[in-house]
Amino acid sequence: MGEKISQSNDGYPINIKQINGNFTDIHPAFNAQKVISESSRCLFCYDAPCVQACPTAIDIPKFIHQIRTENINGSAKTILSSNIMGGSCARVCPTEILCEAACVRIKSGEKAVEIGQLQRYSIDKFMMNCNEHPFIRAKPTGKIIAVIGAGPAGLSCAYKTAELGHDIVIFEAEKKSGGLNEYGLAAYKMVNDYAQKEIDFLLQIGGIKIEHGKEFGKDITISQLQNKFDAIFIAAGLGNINALHLDGENKIGIEDAISFIKNIRQTNDKQNLDVGDDIIVIGGGNTAIDAAVQAKRLGANNVTLVYRRGAEQMGATIWEQDLAKTNGINIVQWAKPTAIIRNEDDKIKAMTFEKTILIDGKLIATGKFFNLTTDHILKAIGQTLELDLFEGLELSGNKIKVNSNYQTSIKDVFAGGDCIDNGEDLTVQAVADGNKAAIAINDFLKSKK
């Protein structure tokens, strides 16, 4: 039989197998031969700068040496002892600006050791072959901790506190755990349901219960949890989507990029997704790139990413920007949206932009306008914390204020991840926050006793 064919919006045929193939792993895993070759390039530096550049402080030279000597189990345990979510971090973290950017090989004009790929190989091999969890839980303390949010920060904190002997209940609003790992990444960055496999592995430590469909502020509150738990860790995501403040913004044809990405990730057969023909993505971060590239890979004819500033100010990494270009994304910089144009049927047909310039660090509108044709607009202009949910907590910069021990203004409430004032939008930073907060919570409970 011939291959299944569908029609694109402009009538040209699209090969369905090609569409689904566009969402395979963007970083295919190394084979054993490549791993040995790459691990031999590590110089095993003393006071290795790559370790200092890793938010979770994985002993990178040690785990690479263990790989080189074919001690895969030992290598994986070295990684997991510092970062229990080392498998997902190896897949999605921008290693090119973290550990690999610090590699001493670069100073001599060479390519950095591919630390992320070596880390992924080690963890994947271990998880594939292990029959029991690698670490043993401490004796139960009788203390119980509430964790709000089952994203990387919440899961990391839950794991570490469970390992230290406490019992944990995670309250998660979504149907699945994982946070951005499950819902917010481009589908080609984490394939084969890896986020759930990693969570299943993490939960093997014991002592962790997850209650899904529990929305913070609606089904649970801080005061309710304080009556039942010895400590609370808030790892809530940024629930509010920033607005463009344009007429017709809430009508059909315009949506936030997070929802768009979530829908793609939760749809197995991508051929059923109707993306549109001419797509405009507003924003300059990694989420904007994820949305734009996926729209193109779903079969959109034209995808244009528009950012109000220049390439140097974009939140997306250079690697992400290059990915957009190689996928045929048109990038228009120094332009801000000013109006949505609709036809007589109230369907979007174009968007108006005003050119901008930067003068003394301030963005200035020039008064020069242009239109771009579109039938689908995606907003990727950032998210903010739902501040009303955290009434009673001291805030800083519209986020939760914490001290060096991740403790909030309420002594038995801790927080980490995107919701805190020093939070960074990186999976590995969220994991680091959760791990450090768990140790602080453990110390707090000991002092309380």
Side-chain angles (χ1 to χ4, degrees):
M1 294 181 63
E3 295 178 338
K4 185 176 180 181
I5 302 292
S6 71
Q7 294 295 120
S8 67
N9 290 339
D10 60 1
Y12 291 104
I14 295 176
N15 188 305
I16 299 307
K17 287 185 178 179
Q18 180 181 345
I19 286 183
N20 288 322
N22 286 340
F23 293 89
T24 56
D25 200 334
I26 197 168
H27 294 299
F30 279 2
N31 58 31
Q33 182 179 3
K34 177 64 175 174
V35 165
I36 295 301
S37 172
E38 193 64 21
S39 62
S40 67
R41 296 184 62 237
C42 180
L43 300 176
F44 310 113
C45 308
Y46 178 74
D47 286 340
C50 57
V51 177
Q52 299 173 36
C54 174
T56 55
I58 294 171
D59 192 338
I60 295 168
K62 180 180 179 180
F63 94 70
I64 293 179
H65 177 72
Q66 289 170 312
I67 289 177
R68 189 177 179 182
T69 56
E70 300 183 9
N71 181 9
I72 300 301
N73 287 352
S75 174
K77 289 179 181 179
T78 296
I79 298 165
L80 294 169
S81 63
S82 296
N83 183 345
I84 195 62
M85 303 185 76
S88 60
C89 288
R91 286 165 164 80
V92 304
C93 283
T95 53
E96 70 275 9
I97 64 171
L98 295 172
C99 54
E100 292 176 15
C103 181
V104 296
R105 287 279 187 186
I106 296 177
K107 292 183 178 180
S108 58
E110 299 177 74
K111 182 181 178 182
V113 175
E114 296 194 57
I115 299 168
Q117 282 283 23
L118 294 176
Q119 179 171 312
R120 172 178 174 174
Y121 179 88
S122 176
I123 299 297
D124 287 0
K125 282 291 183 182
F126 179 79
M127 288 179 61
M128 186 184 303
N129 299 317
C130 74
N131 296 317
E132 59 183 19
H133 197 74
F135 305 112
I136 299 174
R137 189 182 179 207
K139 182 180 178 180
T141 64
K143 300 295 184 181
I144 184 168
I145 299 164
V147 173
I148 299 170
L155 289 168
S156 174
C157 182
Y159 172 82
K160 190 63 179 179
T161 46
E163 187 183 41
L164 292 168
H166 308 300
D167 289 318
I168 294 89
V169 179
I170 303 177
F171 298 95
E172 169 56 45
E174 296 284 358
K175 295 179 180 179
K176 295 181 182 179
S177 302
L180 288 179
N181 281 1
E182 176 61 39
Y183 294 105
L185 298 171
Y188 47 72
K189 288 183 176 178
M190 194 168 313
V191 302
N192 299 324
D193 207 25
Y194 184 81
Q196 297 307 309
K197 293 175 183 177
E198 184 175 57
I199 293 167
D200 291 342
F201 169 76
L202 179 152
L203 293 177
Q204 289 175 19
I205 192 67
I208 303 173
K209 178 184 177 183
I210 304 179
E211 295 188 13
H212 293 101
K214 293 296 179 69
E215 186 176 340
F216 181 58
K218 178 181 178 183
D219 302 304
I220 52 171
T221 63
I222 290 176
S223 59
Q224 289 173 340
L225 296 177
Q226 283 180 305
N227 293 328
K228 299 179 180 179
F229 295 89
D230 296 292
I232 300 168
F233 179 66
I234 301 174
L238 305 178
N240 282 336
I241 306 296
N242 288 334
L244 295 171
H245 303 292
L246 300 178
D247 290 339
E249 181 178 347
N250 297 320
K251 294 183 179 181
I252 294 175
I254 181 168
E255 64 176 316
D256 67 90
I258 292 291
S259 296
F260 177 72
I261 293 169
K262 177 181 177 180
N263 189 34
I264 295 173
R265 283 197 59 85
Q266 300 304 308
T267 302
N268 292 326
D269 195 347
K270 307 295 189 286
Q271 67 171 318
N272 296 321
L273 296 172
D274 182 14
V275 66
D277 190 21
D278 293 299
I279 315 300
I280 290 177
V281 180
I282 309 296
N286 289 342
T287 298
I289 301 291
D290 281 355
V293 172
Q294 288 186 108
K296 188 68 174 179
R297 292 189 175 200
L298 283 170
N301 279 345
N302 300 299
V303 180
T304 303
L305 187 151
V306 185
Y307 181 54
R308 59 180 178 159
R309 298 177 184 267
E312 293 182 357
Q313 290 81 31
M314 288 181 73
T317 64
I318 297 299
W319 184 89
E320 293 281 356
Q321 294 182 47
D322 289 342
L323 178 67
K325 294 172 184 176
T326 57
N327 277 267
I329 308 302
N330 305 310
I331 299 181
V332 176
Q333 293 159 343
W334 303 109
K336 67 174 186 177
T338 59
I340 300 168
I341 303 172
R342 295 178 180 271
N343 60 22
E344 295 177 353
D345 297 325
D346 209 25
K347 292 181 179 179
I348 292 176
K349 68 175 184 178
M351 194 169 202
T352 302
F353 294 88
E354 184 176 9
K355 293 183 178 181
T356 59
I357 56 174
L358 203 61
I359 300 178
D360 296 330
K362 185 177 181 181
L363 194 68
I364 304 296
T366 64
K368 298 178 181 179
F369 298 86
F370 64 94
N371 291 342
L372 290 176
T373 300
T374 182
D375 53 22
H376 192 181
I377 299 170
L378 299 172
K379 298 184 295 182
I381 52 175
Q383 296 173 274
T384 57
L385 199 64
E386 295 184 59
L387 299 178
D388 293 344
L389 300 179
F390 303 97
E391 195 171 338
L393 292 177
E394 186 177 352
L395 303 176
S396 173
N398 292 327
K399 289 191 175 184
I400 300 171
K401 184 176 182 179
V402 296
N403 63 20
S404 59
N405 291 321
Y406 294 88
Q407 191 174 35
T408 70
S409 56
I410 301 176
K411 65 179 182 178
D412 58 348
V413 179
F414 297 74
D418 292 345
C419 66
I420 65 173
D421 57 344
N422 61 341
E424 295 185 38
D425 186 19
L426 293 174
T427 297
V428 68
Q429 184 61 56
V431 173
D433 286 352
N435 190 69
K436 293 174 183 177
I439 296 171
I441 291 170
N442 184 61
D443 292 341
F444 167 77
L445 294 176
K446 283 183 177 179
S447 65
K448 190 177 179 181
K449 180 179 179 181

